[in-house]
Amino acid sequence: MGLILLIVLMTFGGLIGAYVVLATNQSLEWKPFSLPIQVWISTALIIGSSFVFEVAKKHLLEGNQQKARTWFFITGIIGAVFIASQVMAWITLVNRGFYAQGSPYAGLFYILTAVHAVHVIGGIISLGFIILKTQIETSDEEELLKRQWFAKVVAWYWHFIGV
């Protein structure tokens, strides 16, 4: 997971570096626009999903697999609503006339948010694995520890992507 997080950090670091270079390059047409409300809604969703994930993880660490599964499912739903909110933001921008090829600012916005959405989808897939693993409760201590460990690792990813 450390290697994956390093790759994600480098990806977003490169994109943020591109943002800084483009924003400070006087020769390019850099026209920031007001962000649609969906961007702020999706920001609130992803922040809220981290809190919900922690509730799920707490229940799993306490051995309450049924409650954990429910809260992991809610986290996944919030992640899916985040993706939908991003798509709605893109549609709003296109309707305002902002296209990826028309402006360096718009292009970078689309790329950055799309890369973030793809990483959230990866987190949702990991959540799906946890939900499937907790579908059948176990009293086997070793299996429960594996599930708890996996939830902790996915938490690192989920929170990192949220930030």
Side-chain angles (χ1 to χ4, degrees):
M1 183 53 70
L3 181 59
I4 289 171
L5 293 180
L6 180 61
I7 291 167
V8 171
L9 178 65
M10 296 302 290
T11 300
F12 282 104
L15 289 170
I16 291 169
Y19 175 88
V20 170
V21 168
L22 290 172
T24 58
N25 186 343
Q26 300 299 321
S27 65
L28 289 175
E29 188 177 316
W30 188 256
K31 293 183 180 177
F33 46 78
S34 63
L35 297 175
I37 188 70
Q38 294 90 347
V39 172
W40 306 111
I41 291 169
S42 63
T43 300
L45 286 167
I46 208 71
I47 291 168
S49 74
S50 280
F51 290 105
V52 175
F53 190 104
E54 283 303 306
V55 170
K57 188 176 78 171
K58 177 182 160 279
H59 284 301
L60 188 59
L61 294 176
E62 292 171 350
N64 191 335
Q65 297 169 66
Q66 182 180 359
K67 280 188 178 179
R69 181 175 52 251
T70 300
W71 286 98
F72 282 128
F73 185 76
I74 293 168
T75 305
I77 294 296
I78 294 171
V81 174
F82 167 85
I83 300 297
S85 182
Q86 290 295 105
V87 170
M88 289 172 56
W90 299 332
I91 291 169
T92 300
L93 289 175
V94 167
N95 289 337
R96 288 186 192 170
F98 296 108
Y99 303 98
Q101 71 273 17
S103 154
Y105 183 81
L108 195 55
F109 176 83
Y110 285 117
I111 291 169
L112 188 60
T113 55
V115 168
H116 190 241
V118 167
H119 284 91
V120 170
I121 290 169
I124 292 170
I125 291 168
S126 298
L127 282 169
F129 182 77
I130 295 172
I131 292 166
L132 288 175
K133 289 296 281 182
T134 57
Q135 196 65 34
I136 300 172
E137 292 190 32
T138 184
S139 57
D140 178 16
E141 189 66 31
E142 186 176 329
E143 177 60 27
L144 185 57
L145 288 173
K146 285 181 188 178
R147 293 175 184 187
Q148 292 169 343
W149 176 82
F150 190 74
K152 289 177 186 177
V153 171
V154 172
W156 299 339
Y157 180 85
W158 192 262
H159 299 316
F160 188 83
I161 293 302
V163 170

